[in-house]
Amino acid sequence: EMSVTEMFSNIQEYLSADQDVREDIRKVVQVLEQTAREILTVLQSVHQPSGFKDIPSKCLKARELFCTVRNHLGDLKTKFPAEQYYRFHEHWRFVLQRVTFLAAFVVYLEGETLVTREEVAGILGIEVDREKGFHLDIEDYLSGILTLASELSRLAVNSVTAGDYTRPLRISHFINELDSGFRLLNLKNDPLRKRYDGLKYDVKKIEEVVYDLSIRGLAKEQEGASTGDQ
Amino acid sequence: EMSVTEMFSNIQEYLSADQDVREDIRKVVQVLEQTAREILTVLQSVHQPSGFKDIPSKCLKARELFCTVRNHLGDLKTKFPAEQYYRFHEHWRFVLQRVTFLAAFVVYLEGETLVTREEVAGILGIEVDREKGFHLDIEDYLSGILTLASELSRLAVNSVTAGDYTRPLRISHFINELDSGFRLLNLKNDPLRKRYDGLKYDVKKIEEVVYDLSIRGLAKEQEGASTGDQ
Amino acid sequence: EMSVTEMFSNIQEYLSADQDVREDIRKVVQVLEQTAREILTVLQSVHQPSGFKDIPSKCLKARELFCTVRNHLGDLKTKFPAEQYYRFHEHWRFVLQRVTFLAAFVVYLEGETLVTREEVAGILGIEVDREKGFHLDIEDYLSGILTLASELSRLAVNSVTAGDYTRPLRISHFINELDSGFRLLNLKNDPLRKRYDGLKYDVKKIEEVVYDLSIRGLAKEQEGASTGDQ
Amino acid sequence: EMSVTEMFSNIQEYLSADQDVREDIRKVVQVLEQTAREILTVLQSVHQPSGFKDIPSKCLKARELFCTVRNHLGDLKTKFPAEQYYRFHEHWRFVLQRVTFLAAFVVYLEGETLVTREEVAGILGIEVDREKGFHLDIEDYLSGILTLASELSRLAVNSVTAGDYTRPLRISHFINELDSGFRLLNLKNDPLRKRYDGLKYDVKKIEEVVYDLSIRGLAKEQEGASTGDQ
Amino acid sequence: EMSVTEMFSNIQEYLSADQDVREDIRKVVQVLEQTAREILTVLQSVHQPSGFKDIPSKCLKARELFCTVRNHLGDLKTKFPAEQYYRFHEHWRFVLQRVTFLAAFVVYLEGETLVTREEVAGILGIEVDREKGFHLDIEDYLSGILTLASELSRLAVNSVTAGDYTRPLRISHFINELDSGFRLLNLKNDPLRKRYDGLKYDVKKIEEVVYDLSIRGLAKEQEGASTGDQ
Amino acid sequence: EMSVTEMFSNIQEYLSADQDVREDIRKVVQVLEQTAREILTVLQSVHQPSGFKDIPSKCLKARELFCTVRNHLGDLKTKFPAEQYYRFHEHWRFVLQRVTFLAAFVVYLEGETLVTREEVAGILGIEVDREKGFHLDIEDYLSGILTLASELSRLAVNSVTAGDYTRPLRISHFINELDSGFRLLNLKNDPLRKRYDGLKYDVKKIEEVVYDLSIRGLAKEQEGASTGDQ
Amino acid sequence: KMEDQDDGTNTTSAVMAAFKSFQLELDTKHDKYERLVKLSRDITIESKRTIFLLHRVTSVPGVAEVLAESEVKLDGVRLKIKQIAEELRGQDLHQYHRAFTPGIQEYVEAISFQHFIKERALISLEEINKKLIFVKDNTKEAEGDQGTSSESIQESREGAVYFQVTPTDYLLGIADLTGELMRMCINSVGNGDIDTPFQLSQFLRQIYDGFSYIGNTGPYEVSKKLYTLKQSLGKVEDACYTLRVRGSEIPTHMLADVFTTRAALIDPDEGIS
Amino acid sequence: KMEDQDDGTNTTSAVMAAFKSFQLELDTKHDKYERLVKLSRDITIESKRTIFLLHRVTSVPGVAEVLAESEVKLDGVRLKIKQIAEELRGQDLHQYHRAFTPGIQEYVEAISFQHFIKERALISLEEINKKLIFVKDNTKEAEGDQGTSSESIQESREGAVYFQVTPTDYLLGIADLTGELMRMCINSVGNGDIDTPFQLSQFLRQIYDGFSYIGNTGPYEVSKKLYTLKQSLGKVEDACYTLRVRGSEIPTHMLADVFTTRAALIDPDEGIS
Ligand SMILES: [Mn+2]
Ligand SMILES: [Mn+2]
C-alpha cells in the first residue's frame, strides 16, 4: 500500500514541476506579447498619412524594442530544458509568429527586402537550427511572412492616399516574388495552407492599386523622380 | 530574385523531409496497433467463465507478444531524432497508452500488483527518463492505468458470474488504493482529468459488487478458503 | 458565340438528366425507409413483456415485409447505371444499413445466429460482389451489425423483465463472439470506428445482466429447464 | 464460432486492400499536384508587365508539362478498378479541377477560345464519357472553367498595367459569353453554385476596367490598331 | 394503448401531407426559376454596348415572359391553403425577390420610375394585402428593389462604355431617392439588413461615375438634352 | 487624437489589473483545492469496512483541516473588492461547492443532521448574506448538498458490506427528507438542475438497499437497537 | 454640401411617402414579434414551474391538491396564450411562429404531463387545442397587468379567440414529456412505488414506437430529440428490470417480514402486466 | 402507499422550512433576471433604431433635428436603464450581468455614434456613465407603463440611482461602433462629402490602434470582433484611397467645370490632413 502512495507522490511532484514550468513560460510569453503589441503600435503608424515621412525613425524605435524581445526570449529559454521545445511549443508559437512578422516588417521598411530566416533569428536572438537550441520553426517563419504580405497590401493602399505613387509598384514586385516562392512549397491542409490561400488576395489587391495608378498615368509620372531618390 | 527562389527551395526540401518522417511513423504505429489488438484479444478471454482457469497461460502468451511490441517500438525510435519526441508525440500517444494498459493488465493478472512506470518501460523496451531516449510520458502512463481500472470493474462483475466470489474483494482493495493515489494528484482540466473522473464510477461499481456478495453472505463464505489459496 | 451556347445547352441537358436520376432515387429511398420503419415497428414489439411469446409470428410478418424491401431495391437498381453505384451511394447508404440491421435482427430472433453478408444480400435481393451489380457495401454491412448489438443489449434487459432468464446468457455469448470478430478489424478513424467503440458498452451491459442473474442464482435455475426447450 | 472469426478475417483482408488502394491514389495525386503547381508558375508570369510579350513560348512550355500530367493520370487509372471511379472521386477531384483550369488557361492564351470538355480530356489524356474509363466529370470541368474566369479578370487588370488596352475588351466579350452560358444551367445549391455566384464579380470587375479605358478614351485609340493585329 | 398509435398515425399523415405540399411547391418554384433566368438573359443584354439601342423591344419581350410567371404563380397558389402563406414562405421567397427585381428592372428601363409594390403585384398577378390572398411580402419587395439598385450601378458603368453619358446622372438621381427612402427604415439584423448594407456601395459607385463624367465635362454637355427627354 | 490613445490606455490598465486579480484568486483557489482533496481523503476512509469504527476521530481530523480552509478563504476575500463577488464567482464556485459538501459530510457523520447554510458559512468562516461580505451562494450550497446525497447512497451500500444494517435506514430517512425539500424548488436549466437530476438515482439506490435488507429481515433486527443510539 | 439631395427629397414625395408607410409596417411587425417573444418567455417559465410542481405528486400524499394547484398555474399560462391568440387575430400564425414556439412547446409538455398523471394516457392535439378556445371576457382581461400588450388588442370582433398548436410543436412538446416521465419513473422507484414504473415503461415504449414510426419524416428538431428519447426509455426499462430482478429474491427468503415491515411493496409480478 | 414519507415530512419541518425559503429566494432571483432580460431587449431595439436614425444625417439637411430626435430616443433608453439600475439597487451588478449586457452594449454603440456625429470624438466611459446617474423622480416613474417591474422597485432609499457600464461592455460597444462608422464613411462618399471619409479613416485608425494595443489581453468577445474591425478599417482606407486616386485626375482636365457644376467637391488634398 505504501508503495502506491509513494509512487503517486512522486508523480505529483513531477506534475507540479511541469505545471510550474508552464506557468513560468506563460508569464514570459505574456510580457513578450505586450512588447510585440508595442512594436506593432510603432510600426502601424506608417499607415497614417503623416507616417510616411519618418519611416526610418519608426524603424529605429522598433529596433530598440527588439532588444526587449531578445531579452524576453533569452529569459524564455531558461525556463525549460532545450530538448523539450516541442513539448511547450504551443505556448509561444503564436507570439513567435507575431514577432517574426514584426521583424519582417521592419526589415522591409528599411530596405524593401525579404527577411531571411537567419535574419529573423538574428533579430530575435534565437537559433535557426533546431539542434543548436531555442529556434524559429520553419512553419512559424512562413506564417510570419504571410502576415507581412497582407500588411503590405494595406500599405500599398495607404501610400497612395498619402501621395506616394511609386511604393505600390515596388510592393507589387516584392509580393510577386514572394508568391512565386510559396508556389514552390507543397503545403499540407494545415493552418499554414489556409493562410497561404489568402496570399492571392493580397497579390490581386496590389495589382489593382498598380492598375489604378497606371491607367491615370500616375505610376510613370513619379517613377522618374523617385527612381533618383532610391 | 534568385535568392528568394533558392530560399523557398530549401524550405520545400525541409517540408518534404518532415512529411516523410511522419509517413514513416504512421506506418510503424499502424502495425503496433495491430499487435496491441492481438494482445487485447488474448487477455479479453479472462472475462469468459472458462477464462478464469488458465490466466497464467494467457499472461505468458501476452508476454510473448510484447516482444513484438518492443521490436516495433525499437523500430519507431529510429524514424526521427530523439530530441523531437514531442514534435511527433500525437502520432503514437494513443497506441502507447494502449500498450501501457495491456502491460498493466498482464502485471495485475500475474500478481495483482500495480505496474510501475519503470516496469511498463521495461516491458515496452523504452525509457522512463525523457533524457535517456524514447520514453513513456507520465500522462500516458496514468492514462493507461485508468483504463486498467475500468477493465477491473468489468472483471469484478464477470468473476462473480464465473463463481469466483473473492476476486471482487481483492479488486475492490486494489482500486481503492489506486483511487487514493490519484487523489494525491493535482490534475489540470485536460483529457486525463476527464478520464480520472470516470474512476469513481469504477470504484462505485466494484463496491456494489462487493455489497451484492456481502448481503447474500457470499463474500464471507469463500473468504476463509480463498485466503488460503492466495 | 453559337458554340458556347450550344455547349452549355448540352451540359444543362446532362445536369437535368442527373437531377432526374437523383430525384427518382430519392423517391424509391423514401418508400424504402417507410417499409423499414414498418418492419422496425413489428420487430420492436418483442421488447414488450407480452412480445416474447410470439417471436416466430413477428419474424414471419417481418419476412413478408422484406418482400416489399426486395421490390423497392429491385426498383432502385433500374434508376441508374450499375457502374455508378458509388456516385449515388450516399442516397441509399443510410437505409441500406437500416434494413441490414433489420435483416440481422430477424435472423437472430429466428435462430440466434449472426447473419452473414451473403444472407443479408439474399434477404434484400441484392449482390455481395460489387462486380455483379447493386451490392451491399462491407462498411454498411458492419454498421448494420453494430446496430444489432445495441438492440440485443436492450433485449437482454427486457427479457429479464419479461421473466426469461436464459436469453441474456445466450445473448452474452453471441455478443462476445461478435466483439472478438470486430477486434480482428483495423478500422480507420471513420464513422464505423466510432460506432464500434460503442460495442464495448453493449458487451458490458449484457455482462451486468448476466451477473445480476448469476448472483441471485436465476441463471442456473432456468437454465436446466430452458436447455431442454431449445 | 469458427465461422465468425473466418468471416471477420475475410472482411479485414478486404479493408486492408481498400486502404492500400487509397494510399496508392494519394501518392499519385501528390505528384500530380506538384506538376500542376509547376504549370501554374509558368502561366502566372503572363501577369507580369514583361510577360505579355512571349505568351506563345509560355504556352508551349506548359503544353510540355501537360505530358507529365498525362503520365501521372495514366498511372492513376491503374490504381483502382475503372467502375469504382466515384468511390475514390474525392481523392482526385480537387487536382482534376486544377489541371482543367490550367488547360483552359493555356487554350485561352493560345487562341482566346473556350476550351471544350473534349479538348480538356484530350490534353489530360482521359475520357469524356464515363463509360469509356477514367473521365472528366462535368462538375469538375465547370469548376475549372470558373477558375479561368477569375484568372481572366485579373489578366484584364494587369494587361492595362502592361499597356495593352485592347485585351480587356476581348476578355469582356469572352466572359460575357461564358456568363450567358452559365445562365442556361440550373445549378443546385452545391459548391459549384457557390463558385458560379463569384462569376458575376469577375464580370463586373472586367466591365469596370473597360469603363476606365472608355472614359479616358483609351479603349477606342488602340481598337482600330489592335483589330488589325488579331 | 390503441390511442397512442392512432395519434401518431394521425401526425404521420399530417407530416406526409405536408411533405407532399412542399414537393408540389418545389416543382412549381423550379420552373419559375427557369423563367426568371430567361427574363434575366433578355434584360442582361442592355449592358452590352449594342444593347442600349433597343431597350423597348427587350422590355416587351420580358413583359411577354411575365405572362408565364403569372401562370406559374397562379399555379403555385393552388398548392396550399391561402392562409398558410408563411408556413411555406421559405420555398418561394428567393424566387419572388428575383422576379420582383426583374419587374422593377423592366419598369425602370421603360420609364425610369420606381416600381411600386402595387405595380409589382400587378405584373406578377398576385396581391399586395396578405388578407386578399397570395401576396408580395414587404421584405421581399424591398429585397427585389435592392437588387435593382446594384443592377443600376452596373448599368451606369456600362452606359458610359456605350457612350451614353446622361444615363448615369439620371440613375444617380433615382438611386439617391431610393437611398433616402431606405434610410427611413428600421431593419432587424436579418438578410434584408445585410442586403441593404450593400446599397451604399451602389450609391458610391454611381457617384464615382458621375464624378468621372463631371471632371471631364462630359456630364454637362448632354445634360441639357437628356433633361428634356425625361 | 491624444484622447483616444489615453482612453485605451486606461482600459488596458483596467484589464491588466483585472487579470492580476484573477491570477491572485487562481493561486488561492489552487491551494484551497489541495486542502479540499486532503479532507476528502480523510473522510473517504469511512467507506472502508474498517472505517466505520472511528468516524468521530476522522471528523475531528477533518475539522482541523477546516481551519486551513478558513484561512485560505480569509485570504481569498482580500484579493478583490467585496462588492464584486459575482464578477469572479466562476473562479471559486467549484471549490466552494466542494468544501460545502465536505462540511455537510462531516456534520452528517457527526450527528446525522443536514447542515444548514448558516452552519456551512460558520465552518468556512464566510457569510450567509451577500450584503455582509464574502458569502456562500445559495446555488453553491445546494450543489454541495447534492454531492452529499450521492456520497450517502455510496455509504449506504458500503455500510451493508461493513455489517452495519441500520445505517442505510437512517440514511434513507435523511435522503427522503432532502428529496422532499428539493422538490419544492423551481430550478432553471442550469448546472444545478443537472446535478439535481442525479438525486433521484441516489434515492432509488438507497431504497434498493433498504429493500434488500427488508426482504432478508436484516433491517428489522437491528432497528430497535439503533433507534436507541440516535 | 448636399443641395441636390435637397430638391431630390422634395420633388419625390411619392417614393418617400411609400417608404414612410413601409417604415410603419415594418415597425408594427417587429413590435408585435417582440411582444410575442416576451409572452413566450413567460409561458416557458410558468410551464416549467408547473412541471416541477407536478413532480411533487410522487412524494406528497395529496395528489388531488397538487393537480388542483397545477390547474391554477396552467390557467395562468392559458391566459398568456390567449394574449398570443389576440395578437395573432387576423394574422398568419406562421409569420410569427418562431417568436412563440418555445413557449408553446413547453406548455404542451406541462399539460401532457398533467394529463398523464390524471388519466395515465397521452393527451391528443385536439384535446390541447380544445382548451385554447377563449371566450371574450372583459373582467379577466382587466385583471391582466400587462399594460403594454393590452394596448394593441383589438377586441372589436365578436366571438371567441382561439389558438391552434401545430402538430410539430405538439410532437416536440411530447418528445420533451418523455424526459419528465423518465424522471417520474425513477422517483417512483425511490419512493417504493412499483406500479408506476411498469405503467410508465409501457407508456414510454408506445411513445417511442410512435416516434420510430415517424422516423426522419418529421422535422429536423424531432429527429434530434430521438436520441434523448431512446435514452430515457432505456433508463425506464433498466428500472423495471431492476425491480423484476430484485423481486425475484423474495420467495426464497423470509417473505412474511417483507409484508409486515414494508406494506407498500406488493408482488412485482402484478406490476408487470 | 407512502405512509413513511408522510410522517417524514411532518416531523422535519425545519428542513422543509429551510427549503421553502430557498424556493422563495431562487424564484425572486429568477424573476428579477427575467425582468432584466426584457428590459435589455427593449434597450437593444430602441438603440438600434436610434442608430438607423443617426445614419440619416448623411442624407438629410437638418443635422440638428436628427440629433435632437436621437436625444429624445436615447432619453427613452436611459429611462429603461434607470429601471435596470433600480432593479440592481443593493445588488451585485455582476450577478445579473448576463441578463442585460446585450442591451447595454447596444446603448454604448448608439450613444458613442451620436457623440461622434456631434463632437467628432470618442466618448469616454466616464462620460457615458455620467449620463446614467438618475435623480429620484416620481413623475417620470409614473409615466413608465411597465406595471410588472415597478412593483418590486424599492424607492425608499434617498438620493440618486445610477448605473455603471463596465469597461468590457464599453469596449464591445465601441467595437460595434466601428461598423457604423464604416457605413457612415461609405454613405458620405456616395453623397459627395469628401471631408468625412478622411476624418473617419483617421478616427477609425486610432480606434484600431487602440484595440491592437489591447490585443488579446481583453475578454474573448473583444478578440472575436477584431477581425470585423480590421475589415471595416480596410473599407474606409479603400474609400479614401479611391477619393485620392480619382482626385488626382482633376488638374489634368477641365478643372473649372468641376467647380461650377459640382460645388460640393473640394480639393481632396485638403481632406487628407
Ligand atoms: Mn422538460
Ligand atoms: Mn451596429
Side-chain angles (χ1 to χ4, degrees), chain A residues 100-113:
Chain A
T100 297
F101 152 60
L102 294 168
F105 198 13
V106 164
V107 167
Y108 179 82
L109 290 173
E110 288 171 349
E112 307 201 349
T113 61

PDB file of all heavy atoms in Angstrom, chain A residues 100-113:
ATOM      1  N   THR A 100       8.024  37.488 -35.581  1.00  0.00           N
ATOM      2  CA  THR A 100       8.631  37.247 -36.895  1.00  0.00           C
ATOM      3  C   THR A 100       8.045  38.213 -37.913  1.00  0.00           C
ATOM      4  O   THR A 100       8.766  38.835 -38.688  1.00  0.00           O
ATOM      5  CB  THR A 100       8.359  35.800 -37.353  1.00  0.00           C
ATOM      6  OG1 THR A 100       8.967  34.905 -36.444  1.00  0.00           O
ATOM      7  CG2 THR A 100       8.909  35.560 -38.750  1.00  0.00           C
ATOM      8  N   PHE A 101       6.743  38.362 -37.889  1.00  0.00           N
ATOM      9  CA  PHE A 101       6.103  39.324 -38.788  1.00  0.00           C
ATOM     10  C   PHE A 101       6.660  40.726 -38.557  1.00  0.00           C
ATOM     11  O   PHE A 101       6.985  41.450 -39.503  1.00  0.00           O
ATOM     12  CB  PHE A 101       4.585  39.306 -38.585  1.00  0.00           C
ATOM     13  CG  PHE A 101       3.918  40.612 -38.901  1.00  0.00           C
ATOM     14  CD1 PHE A 101       4.009  41.158 -40.171  1.00  0.00           C
ATOM     15  CD2 PHE A 101       3.222  41.313 -37.921  1.00  0.00           C
ATOM     16  CE1 PHE A 101       3.409  42.378 -40.470  1.00  0.00           C
ATOM     17  CE2 PHE A 101       2.627  42.530 -38.208  1.00  0.00           C
ATOM     18  CZ  PHE A 101       2.731  43.063 -39.483  1.00  0.00           C
ATOM     19  N   LEU A 102       6.778  41.093 -37.279  1.00  0.00           N
ATOM     20  CA  LEU A 102       7.247  42.446 -36.969  1.00  0.00           C
ATOM     21  C   LEU A 102       8.677  42.651 -37.461  1.00  0.00           C
ATOM     22  O   LEU A 102       9.015  43.707 -38.011  1.00  0.00           O
ATOM     23  CB  LEU A 102       7.132  42.703 -35.466  1.00  0.00           C
ATOM     24  CG  LEU A 102       5.681  42.733 -34.943  1.00  0.00           C
ATOM     25  CD1 LEU A 102       5.653  42.690 -33.419  1.00  0.00           C
ATOM     26  CD2 LEU A 102       4.938  43.960 -35.456  1.00  0.00           C
ATOM     27  N   ALA A 103       9.514  41.627 -37.272  1.00  0.00           N
ATOM     28  CA  ALA A 103      10.886  41.717 -37.762  1.00  0.00           C
ATOM     29  C   ALA A 103      10.892  41.847 -39.280  1.00  0.00           C
ATOM     30  O   ALA A 103      11.614  42.672 -39.860  1.00  0.00           O
ATOM     31  CB  ALA A 103      11.674  40.487 -37.325  1.00  0.00           C
ATOM     32  N   ALA A 104      10.036  41.052 -39.937  1.00  0.00           N
ATOM     33  CA  ALA A 104       9.965  41.097 -41.400  1.00  0.00           C
ATOM     34  C   ALA A 104       9.484  42.467 -41.875  1.00  0.00           C
ATOM     35  O   ALA A 104       9.943  42.983 -42.896  1.00  0.00           O
ATOM     36  CB  ALA A 104       9.022  40.003 -41.894  1.00  0.00           C
ATOM     37  N   PHE A 105       8.584  43.067 -41.116  1.00  0.00           N
ATOM     38  CA  PHE A 105       8.041  44.374 -41.478  1.00  0.00           C
ATOM     39  C   PHE A 105       9.139  45.441 -41.357  1.00  0.00           C
ATOM     40  O   PHE A 105       9.324  46.268 -42.261  1.00  0.00           O
ATOM     41  CB  PHE A 105       6.851  44.697 -40.563  1.00  0.00           C
ATOM     42  CG  PHE A 105       5.931  45.776 -41.077  1.00  0.00           C
ATOM     43  CD1 PHE A 105       5.993  46.223 -42.381  1.00  0.00           C
ATOM     44  CD2 PHE A 105       4.972  46.332 -40.225  1.00  0.00           C
ATOM     45  CE1 PHE A 105       5.134  47.209 -42.847  1.00  0.00           C
ATOM     46  CE2 PHE A 105       4.109  47.322 -40.678  1.00  0.00           C
ATOM     47  CZ  PHE A 105       4.197  47.769 -41.988  1.00  0.00           C
ATOM     48  N   VAL A 106       9.850  45.411 -40.263  1.00  0.00           N
ATOM     49  CA  VAL A 106      10.939  46.369 -40.070  1.00  0.00           C
ATOM     50  C   VAL A 106      11.965  46.237 -41.195  1.00  0.00           C
ATOM     51  O   VAL A 106      12.349  47.232 -41.827  1.00  0.00           O
ATOM     52  CB  VAL A 106      11.638  46.142 -38.705  1.00  0.00           C
ATOM     53  CG1 VAL A 106      12.983  46.845 -38.656  1.00  0.00           C
ATOM     54  CG2 VAL A 106      10.759  46.630 -37.572  1.00  0.00           C
ATOM     55  N   VAL A 107      12.371  45.006 -41.446  1.00  0.00           N
ATOM     56  CA  VAL A 107      13.385  44.792 -42.479  1.00  0.00           C
ATOM     57  C   VAL A 107      12.873  45.278 -43.832  1.00  0.00           C
ATOM     58  O   VAL A 107      13.614  45.911 -44.597  1.00  0.00           O
ATOM     59  CB  VAL A 107      13.774  43.299 -42.533  1.00  0.00           C
ATOM     60  CG1 VAL A 107      14.575  42.982 -43.792  1.00  0.00           C
ATOM     61  CG2 VAL A 107      14.567  42.934 -41.294  1.00  0.00           C
ATOM     62  N   TYR A 108      11.592  45.029 -44.102  1.00  0.00           N
ATOM     63  CA  TYR A 108      11.052  45.503 -45.372  1.00  0.00           C
ATOM     64  C   TYR A 108      11.066  47.025 -45.436  1.00  0.00           C
ATOM     65  O   TYR A 108      11.479  47.619 -46.436  1.00  0.00           O
ATOM     66  CB  TYR A 108       9.626  44.992 -45.605  1.00  0.00           C
ATOM     67  CG  TYR A 108       9.097  45.507 -46.907  1.00  0.00           C
ATOM     68  CD1 TYR A 108       9.427  44.869 -48.108  1.00  0.00           C
ATOM     69  CD2 TYR A 108       8.365  46.686 -46.977  1.00  0.00           C
ATOM     70  CE1 TYR A 108       9.022  45.372 -49.329  1.00  0.00           C
ATOM     71  CE2 TYR A 108       7.946  47.201 -48.193  1.00  0.00           C
ATOM     72  CZ  TYR A 108       8.279  46.548 -49.366  1.00  0.00           C
ATOM     73  OH  TYR A 108       7.889  47.063 -50.574  1.00  0.00           O
ATOM     74  N   LEU A 109      10.611  47.655 -44.385  1.00  0.00           N
ATOM     75  CA  LEU A 109      10.538  49.120 -44.382  1.00  0.00           C
ATOM     76  C   LEU A 109      11.923  49.725 -44.522  1.00  0.00           C
ATOM     77  O   LEU A 109      12.105  50.766 -45.159  1.00  0.00           O
ATOM     78  CB  LEU A 109       9.863  49.615 -43.096  1.00  0.00           C
ATOM     79  CG  LEU A 109       8.362  49.335 -42.982  1.00  0.00           C
ATOM     80  CD1 LEU A 109       7.846  49.720 -41.606  1.00  0.00           C
ATOM     81  CD2 LEU A 109       7.579  50.097 -44.052  1.00  0.00           C
ATOM     82  N   GLU A 110      12.900  49.093 -43.929  1.00  0.00           N
ATOM     83  CA  GLU A 110      14.271  49.608 -44.005  1.00  0.00           C
ATOM     84  C   GLU A 110      14.875  49.476 -45.396  1.00  0.00           C
ATOM     85  O   GLU A 110      15.432  50.428 -45.939  1.00  0.00           O
ATOM     86  CB  GLU A 110      15.153  48.860 -42.993  1.00  0.00           C
ATOM     87  CG  GLU A 110      14.872  49.251 -41.545  1.00  0.00           C
ATOM     88  CD  GLU A 110      15.602  48.355 -40.543  1.00  0.00           C
ATOM     89  OE1 GLU A 110      16.154  47.319 -40.970  1.00  0.00           O
ATOM     90  OE2 GLU A 110      15.611  48.687 -39.367  1.00  0.00           O
ATOM     91  N   GLY A 111      14.726  48.291 -45.978  1.00  0.00           N
ATOM     92  CA  GLY A 111      15.443  48.093 -47.234  1.00  0.00           C
ATOM     93  C   GLY A 111      14.639  47.424 -48.335  1.00  0.00           C
ATOM     94  O   GLY A 111      15.172  47.106 -49.390  1.00  0.00           O
ATOM     95  N   GLU A 112      13.345  47.225 -48.079  1.00  0.00           N
ATOM     96  CA  GLU A 112      12.468  46.607 -49.061  1.00  0.00           C
ATOM     97  C   GLU A 112      12.970  45.239 -49.524  1.00  0.00           C
ATOM     98  O   GLU A 112      12.860  44.873 -50.696  1.00  0.00           O
ATOM     99  CB  GLU A 112      12.237  47.541 -50.245  1.00  0.00           C
ATOM    100  CG  GLU A 112      11.744  48.904 -49.746  1.00  0.00           C
ATOM    101  CD  GLU A 112      11.020  49.727 -50.791  1.00  0.00           C
ATOM    102  OE1 GLU A 112      11.062  49.362 -51.969  1.00  0.00           O
ATOM    103  OE2 GLU A 112      10.386  50.724 -50.398  1.00  0.00           O
ATOM    104  N   THR A 113      13.527  44.498 -48.603  1.00  0.00           N
ATOM    105  CA  THR A 113      13.941  43.130 -48.908  1.00  0.00           C
ATOM    106  C   THR A 113      13.161  42.144 -48.043  1.00  0.00           C
ATOM    107  O   THR A 113      12.583  42.527 -47.024  1.00  0.00           O
ATOM    108  CB  THR A 113      15.437  42.910 -48.601  1.00  0.00           C
ATOM    109  OG1 THR A 113      15.641  43.145 -47.197  1.00  0.00           O
ATOM    110  CG2 THR A 113      16.308  43.850 -49.411  1.00  0.00           C
TER     111      THR A 113
END
